[in-house]
PDB file of all heavy atoms in Angstrom:
ATOM      1  N   GLY A  55      31.783-109.411 -95.570  1.00 98.00           N
ATOM      2  CA  GLY A  55      31.747-109.383 -97.030  1.00 98.00           C
ATOM      3  C   GLY A  55      31.843-110.773 -97.627  1.00 98.00           C
ATOM      4  O   GLY A  55      31.130-111.114 -98.581  1.00 98.00           O
ATOM      5  N   PHE A  56      32.738-111.599 -97.080  1.00 98.00           N
ATOM      6  CA  PHE A  56      32.806-112.991 -97.517  1.00 98.00           C
ATOM      7  C   PHE A  56      31.462-113.685 -97.269  1.00 98.00           C
ATOM      8  O   PHE A  56      30.973-114.445 -98.109  1.00 98.00           O
ATOM      9  CB  PHE A  56      33.914-113.728 -96.763  1.00 98.00           C
ATOM     10  CG  PHE A  56      35.302-113.513 -97.309  1.00 98.00           C
ATOM     11  CD1 PHE A  56      36.148-112.568 -96.739  1.00 98.00           C
ATOM     12  CD2 PHE A  56      35.780-114.263 -98.378  1.00 98.00           C
ATOM     13  CE1 PHE A  56      37.440-112.374 -97.228  1.00 98.00           C
ATOM     14  CE2 PHE A  56      37.064-114.079 -98.867  1.00 98.00           C
ATOM     15  CZ  PHE A  56      37.906-113.132 -98.292  1.00 98.00           C
ATOM     16  N   MET A  57      30.880-113.424 -96.088  1.00 98.00           N
ATOM     17  CA  MET A  57      29.602-114.041 -95.743  1.00 98.00           C
ATOM     18  C   MET A  57      28.482-113.530 -96.643  1.00 98.00           C
ATOM     19  O   MET A  57      27.586-114.292 -97.036  1.00 98.00           O
ATOM     20  CB  MET A  57      29.283-113.746 -94.279  1.00 98.00           C
ATOM     21  CG  MET A  57      28.057-114.463 -93.748  1.00 98.00           C
ATOM     22  SD  MET A  57      28.344-116.234 -93.598  1.00 98.00           S
ATOM     23  CE  MET A  57      26.852-116.707 -92.711  1.00 98.00           C
ATOM     24  N   ALA A  58      28.520-112.250 -96.988  1.00 98.00           N
ATOM     25  CA  ALA A  58      27.516-111.692 -97.887  1.00 98.00           C
ATOM     26  C   ALA A  58      27.560-112.388 -99.237  1.00 98.00           C
ATOM     27  O   ALA A  58      26.520-112.725 -99.820  1.00 98.00           O
ATOM     28  CB  ALA A  58      27.736-110.182 -98.042  1.00 98.00           C
ATOM     29  N   ASN A  59      28.755-112.615 -99.745  1.00 98.00           N
ATOM     30  CA  ASN A  59      28.892-113.340-101.009  1.00 98.00           C
ATOM     31  C   ASN A  59      28.363-114.765-100.886  1.00 98.00           C
ATOM     32  O   ASN A  59      27.655-115.270-101.762  1.00 98.00           O
ATOM     33  CB  ASN A  59      30.355-113.345-101.439  1.00 98.00           C
ATOM     34  CG  ASN A  59      30.620-114.318-102.576  1.00 98.00           C
ATOM     35  OD1 ASN A  59      31.236-115.367-102.363  1.00 98.00           O
ATOM     36  ND2 ASN A  59      30.165-113.997-103.766  1.00 98.00           N
ATOM     37  N   GLN A  60      28.702-115.443 -99.774  1.00 98.00           N
ATOM     38  CA  GLN A  60      28.216-116.806 -99.570  1.00 98.00           C
ATOM     39  C   GLN A  60      26.688-116.856 -99.569  1.00 98.00           C
ATOM     40  O   GLN A  60      26.075-117.733-100.182  1.00 98.00           O
ATOM     41  CB  GLN A  60      28.757-117.367 -98.247  1.00 98.00           C
ATOM     42  CG  GLN A  60      30.242-117.623 -98.257  1.00 98.00           C
ATOM     43  CD  GLN A  60      30.813-117.991 -96.887  1.00 98.00           C
ATOM     44  OE1 GLN A  60      32.023-118.059 -96.722  1.00 98.00           O
ATOM     45  NE2 GLN A  60      29.962-118.214 -95.897  1.00 98.00           N
ATOM     46  N   LEU A  61      26.062-115.913 -98.856  1.00 98.00           N
ATOM     47  CA  LEU A  61      24.603-115.876 -98.801  1.00 98.00           C
ATOM     48  C   LEU A  61      24.005-115.606-100.171  1.00 98.00           C
ATOM     49  O   LEU A  61      23.024-116.248-100.572  1.00 98.00           O
ATOM     50  CB  LEU A  61      24.148-114.809 -97.811  1.00 98.00           C
ATOM     51  CG  LEU A  61      24.258-115.181 -96.331  1.00 98.00           C
ATOM     52  CD1 LEU A  61      24.168-113.932 -95.463  1.00 98.00           C
ATOM     53  CD2 LEU A  61      23.171-116.177 -95.936  1.00 98.00           C
ATOM     54  N   HIS A  62      24.585-114.664-100.897  1.00 98.00           N
ATOM     55  CA  HIS A  62      24.072-114.329-102.225  1.00 98.00           C
ATOM     56  C   HIS A  62      24.158-115.523-103.160  1.00 98.00           C
ATOM     57  O   HIS A  62      23.214-115.822-103.901  1.00 98.00           O
ATOM     58  CB  HIS A  62      24.865-113.146-102.792  1.00 98.00           C
ATOM     59  CG  HIS A  62      24.375-112.681-104.133  1.00 98.00           C
ATOM     60  ND1 HIS A  62      25.198-112.017-105.016  1.00 98.00           N
ATOM     61  CD2 HIS A  62      23.177-112.793-104.760  1.00 98.00           C
ATOM     62  CE1 HIS A  62      24.517-111.729-106.103  1.00 98.00           C
ATOM     63  NE2 HIS A  62      23.294-112.190-105.972  1.00 98.00           N
ATOM     64  N   VAL A  63      25.275-116.242-103.113  1.00 98.00           N
ATOM     65  CA  VAL A  63      25.468-117.383-104.008  1.00 98.00           C
ATOM     66  C   VAL A  63      24.589-118.559-103.586  1.00 98.00           C
ATOM     67  O   VAL A  63      23.899-119.173-104.408  1.00 98.00           O
ATOM     68  CB  VAL A  63      26.950-117.800-104.034  1.00 98.00           C
ATOM     69  CG1 VAL A  63      27.139-119.120-104.778  1.00 98.00           C
ATOM     70  CG2 VAL A  63      27.801-116.709-104.689  1.00 98.00           C
ATOM     71  N   ALA A  64      24.607-118.903-102.305  1.00 97.00           N
ATOM     72  CA  ALA A  64      23.880-120.088-101.848  1.00 97.00           C
ATOM     73  C   ALA A  64      22.371-119.888-101.883  1.00 97.00           C
ATOM     74  O   ALA A  64      21.613-120.820-102.172  1.00 97.00           O
ATOM     75  CB  ALA A  64      24.316-120.461-100.440  1.00 97.00           C
ATOM     76  N   TYR A  65      21.928-118.664-101.573  1.00 96.00           N
ATOM     77  CA  TYR A  65      20.497-118.362-101.537  1.00 96.00           C
ATOM     78  C   TYR A  65      20.151-117.300-102.574  1.00 96.00           C
ATOM     79  O   TYR A  65      19.493-116.306-102.278  1.00 96.00           O
ATOM     80  CB  TYR A  65      20.106-117.873-100.138  1.00 96.00           C
ATOM     81  CG  TYR A  65      20.074-118.946 -99.081  1.00 96.00           C
ATOM     82  CD1 TYR A  65      21.146-119.125 -98.215  1.00 96.00           C
ATOM     83  CD2 TYR A  65      18.971-119.774 -98.937  1.00 96.00           C
ATOM     84  CE1 TYR A  65      21.118-120.104 -97.235  1.00 96.00           C
ATOM     85  CE2 TYR A  65      18.930-120.760 -97.960  1.00 96.00           C
ATOM     86  CZ  TYR A  65      20.015-120.923 -97.105  1.00 96.00           C
ATOM     87  OH  TYR A  65      19.982-121.894 -96.137  1.00 96.00           O
ATOM     88  N   SER A  66      20.556-117.525-103.814  1.00 96.00           N
ATOM     89  CA  SER A  66      20.319-116.525-104.859  1.00 96.00           C
ATOM     90  C   SER A  66      18.846-116.408-105.224  1.00 96.00           C
ATOM     91  O   SER A  66      18.464-115.465-105.928  1.00 96.00           O
ATOM     92  CB  SER A  66      21.148-116.848-106.107  1.00 96.00           C
ATOM     93  OG  SER A  66      20.869-118.158-106.586  1.00 96.00           O
ATOM     94  N   GLU A  67      18.007-117.336-104.772  1.00 94.00           N
ATOM     95  CA  GLU A  67      16.569-117.177-104.969  1.00 94.00           C
ATOM     96  C   GLU A  67      15.972-116.222-103.940  1.00 94.00           C
ATOM     97  O   GLU A  67      14.833-115.797-104.079  1.00 94.00           O
ATOM     98  CB  GLU A  67      15.880-118.545-104.903  1.00 94.00           C
ATOM     99  CG  GLU A  67      16.242-119.435-106.090  1.00 94.00           C
ATOM    100  CD  GLU A  67      15.495-120.757-106.092  1.00 94.00           C
ATOM    101  OE1 GLU A  67      14.769-121.037-105.111  1.00 94.00           O
ATOM    102  OE2 GLU A  67      15.646-121.518-107.053  1.00 94.00           O
TER     103      GLU A  67
END
Side-chain angles (χ1 to χ4, degrees):
F56 279 97
M57 187 70 171
N59 168 252
Q60 291 172 189
L61 283 164
H62 183 205
V63 171
Y65 287 99
S66 56
E67 292 184 354

